[in-house]
Amino acid sequence: MQDPVVLDGVRAAVAAADVPVTMTESFSRRADTVAMVERLLSITRMMSLVALVIALVGIANTVFLSWRERRRDRTLLNTLGLTPLGSAGVMAVELLLLALPAAGAGWLVGEWAGGWLL
């Protein structure tokens, strides 16, 4: 920070001037810093969105593979006569039991860390 005594001579010259004088200070470093922070924030937001898309694709892939594997298992068990009818309703309940805790955990993590990301 600049010592205020350094500006006393300038202030005295301005006070003694016959015409009104306006003094402005240029802060190019401040503008550069603001631009840099805005770039970093936009990059951080974009990286967060990419990470979110990757996570969503991974979750969707895992749920789809689990659904397909369970359907194959039910078909095999039905073929062997070990279970009654393998209904889609049971599979939907299983999917909900997989998806609801994951959605709840995602919401909690988002509430906890969301302020730092965006």
Side-chain angles (χ1 to χ4, degrees):
M1 182 157 180
Q2 192 172 18
D3 188 13
V5 177
V6 175
L7 296 176
D8 286 342
V10 175
R11 287 189 183 117
V14 169
D18 294 335
V19 294
V21 178
T22 303
M23 294 177 48
T24 61
E25 296 183 34
S26 173
F27 292 104
S28 63
R29 297 231 186 235
R30 183 178 294 175
D32 292 343
T33 303
V34 168
M36 179 188 65
V37 168
E38 287 174 353
R39 280 194 306 272
L40 285 173
L41 286 174
S42 64
I43 289 170
T44 302
R45 288 182 182 120
M46 293 303 292
M47 289 173 59
S48 297
L49 289 175
V50 169
L52 181 64
V53 168
I54 290 171
L56 288 174
V57 168
I59 290 169
N61 188 34
T62 301
V63 169
F64 174 73
L65 290 175
S66 172
W67 181 286
R68 193 176 71 175
E69 184 178 329
R70 294 294 290 158
R71 185 178 57 189
R72 220 176 341 166
D73 291 345
R74 288 191 182 283
T75 303
L76 177 64
L77 290 174
N78 286 336
T79 304
L80 297 174
L82 296 177
T83 59
L85 298 175
S87 67
V90 174
M91 290 176 66
V93 169
E94 289 177 357
L95 179 63
L96 285 175
L97 291 176
L98 283 172
L100 290 178
W107 179 78
L108 288 174
V109 169
E111 284 292 316
W112 174 70
W116 295 330
L117 296 177
L118 297 175

